[in-house]
Amino acid sequence: MKLNKENIRFIDNYLIKKGVKYLDVRVELLDHLSTEFEGNSNYVLLIDFLNSKEAFISEFQKKRYSKLHWCYQKQLWQEFFKGFYTVKGLLQTILVFLILLSGLQFFEIKTVSGACLISAGIINFSAMLTHFRKRKAINKLQSSVLVFGILSLPVLPLYLYGQIDGFIESYTAVFVAFWMLVLLLNLAGATLVYNLKIKILEYYHTLILA
């Protein structure tokens, strides 16, 4: 049975009633459900078919959320490691390294640590501002909502710093390595958020115009 536009709207409204609030998730479910119903469904009534798919719809959302979350985390580490093998990344890594060494030459280690903390905060906050622009699109797409999670990993080492700052500040090599990790992770996160935001907004406009 071939579905018409009214049938598609019916499926979309059904998904909304079932709590599928994100537009991109509904689009994927619409494609899957309509294809299955048209291809090999034994149901005569569309509503009966949809009711039989409640468990699938719930499981689909959970799996998509998890898959997307880990996909973004993987992309974050890929962006981070670009700092060690791409020309642009190597220049950025070397620059951060030289700034840290210069800071330690002219300032006390606590001062340099504070400057690094502020720098990491500024980078992370700038990425947040980038993320929360176009809020209308953000609220409608799961792929956009999960972008915010990218920024949680780069600040995670900072929670540990207060517990082990004495050890870190006792060894110059450990201090430099720690803050390079923090700063480069935050730079990688900010870059990824910016790049994803462009792609997600393009995808959003494609969906609403479809």
Side-chain angles (χ1 to χ4, degrees):
M1 176 182 175
K2 186 70 175 176
L3 297 177
N4 55 36
K5 289 184 178 180
E6 184 178 341
N7 297 139
I8 298 299
R9 282 196 294 270
F10 180 84
I11 297 174
D12 190 44
N13 289 330
Y14 179 90
L15 293 172
I16 292 172
K17 289 178 182 178
K18 292 299 178 180
V20 186
K21 64 179 181 177
Y22 296 117
L23 178 60
D24 49 350
V25 181
R26 294 205 309 275
V27 167
E28 290 186 30
L29 279 168
L30 273 167
D31 180 64
H32 180 89
L33 294 170
S34 59
T35 300
E36 183 177 344
F37 184 80
E38 290 175 343
N40 55 11
S41 173
N42 295 319
Y43 291 90
V44 176
L45 297 178
L46 182 56
I47 185 62
D48 291 338
F49 168 75
L50 293 175
N51 286 336
S52 74
K53 291 294 178 179
E54 281 192 38
F56 166 78
I57 292 168
S58 176
E59 189 66 19
F60 179 89
Q61 292 183 85
K62 294 176 184 177
K63 286 183 176 179
R64 189 183 189 277
Y65 181 96
S66 178
K67 181 180 178 181
L68 201 55
H69 169 76
W70 291 113
C71 178
Y72 284 165
Q73 295 304 311
K74 180 181 177 181
Q75 290 181 59
L76 172 60
W77 284 110
Q78 288 174 337
E79 191 67 41
F80 171 77
F81 284 114
K82 284 181 182 179
F84 301 95
Y85 67 87
T86 66
V87 174
K88 182 180 178 181
L90 281 168
L91 289 174
Q92 178 177 272
T93 301
I94 292 170
L95 181 61
V96 172
F97 178 71
L98 292 176
I99 290 173
L100 281 170
L101 287 185
S102 299
L104 291 171
Q105 288 289 324
F106 297 103
F107 302 99
E108 293 184 0
I109 198 165
K110 287 286 186 185
T111 303
V112 177
S113 180
C116 289
L117 180 62
I118 293 171
S119 299
I122 291 172
I123 295 168
N124 205 274
F125 183 69
S126 299
M128 287 183 187
L129 290 179
T130 299
H131 174 65
F132 282 112
R133 288 187 195 138
K134 306 288 184 179
R135 194 170 185 84
K136 182 179 179 182
I138 290 171
N139 292 336
K140 290 187 176 182
L141 300 180
Q142 186 186 65
S143 51
S144 183
V145 171
L146 287 175
V147 168
F148 186 73
I150 294 170
L151 302 174
S152 59
L153 180 61
V155 299
L156 186 60
L158 298 178
Y159 292 105
L160 302 174
Y161 187 73
Q163 307 299 320
I164 56 174
D165 58 333
F167 170 75
I168 292 174
E169 293 175 3
S170 297
Y171 303 94
T172 302
V174 175
F175 180 86
V176 171
F178 175 84
W179 283 112
M180 283 193 70
L181 172 67
V182 171
L183 293 171
L184 291 175
L185 260 180
N186 275 276
L187 286 168
T191 302
L192 181 57
V193 166
Y194 177 77
N195 292 336
L196 283 174
K197 193 62 180 286
I198 294 174
K199 294 178 181 178
I200 288 170
L201 286 175
E202 290 176 353
Y203 179 52
Y204 172 73
H205 291 305
T206 300
L207 291 180
I208 62 175
L209 292 174

